[in-house]
Amino acid sequence: MERKILAIFAHPDDESFGPSGTLAHYARNGVRVRLLTATRGEAGKNALSNTDEPLGKIRERELLKAAKILGLEKVDFMGYKDKTLQNLEPHPPIEKILHYIEMFKPQILITYGPTGISRHPDHITVHKWVTQVFRMSEYPKKLYYYTLPKELLLARHPDLVDGDGEITTVIDVSSYKNVKKSAILCHISQRYSIERIFDFAGGERPIPEKEYFVLADHKLDYRIDGIEDDLFCGIESGNKTPIGKLL
Ligand SMILES: [Zn+2]
């Protein structure tokens, strides 16, 4: 079985700030990993003062550079306008994602949980689209929400008591800290966000050793008992041997 992961996010940098250690880990272990990004992030702040180039162009290039570092097979853009996703009629983007999935046939989908981590309306909208698409297509077997440990999420947003749900899956990305950092630093037009979130200079908020996920939905005869350490747990290979640990 050819293992495939599709990550779907709203903006260039969401993949690098988010589950980039996990994406790099799987890409380096023979999994075909693709990224579908809804916008080019053109409505963000631009930390580069010495250019007239449109921000969307800059951010597209930054994302492609980060994707190369992470080992992603392909990046595709849905082409929607930044900061407008919640105003769109959901049917066309859902159809677009569905079509993409039917072509690529990934076993694993990754997106945000209901909090969107930052509560950005674009993130929450993509979360809703992908959650709906998962149920419409037979191909993806597991749907993961990338999230943070609840105390971190609540520290940022104290009213988010339910967070993104209980963490089911923890991926050790300690070997990918440099890769993650390099991918994050590709998004140099977003330097203010990088400094706010990661503090590379001060070292108080270092790159995390682990990345956290909620298995939000699946189509397997499968029950989690404990914490998964592999997104492919419970998905059978061609010879019917489960990949990873079936808990
Ligand atoms: Zn974003």
Side-chain angles (χ1 to χ4, degrees), residues 10-14 59 112 118 120 122-123:
H11 312 109
D13 80 16
D14 293 336
R59 297 196 69 184
Y112 322 87
S118 62
H120 193 306
D122 282 351
H123 293 196

Side-chain angles (χ1 to χ4, degrees), residues 135-146:
R135 294 176 197 137
M136 294 166 73
S137 172
E138 62 170 300
Y139 292 110
K141 302 302 178 205
K142 295 172 96 179
L143 169 65
Y144 284 102
Y145 297 155
Y146 168 73

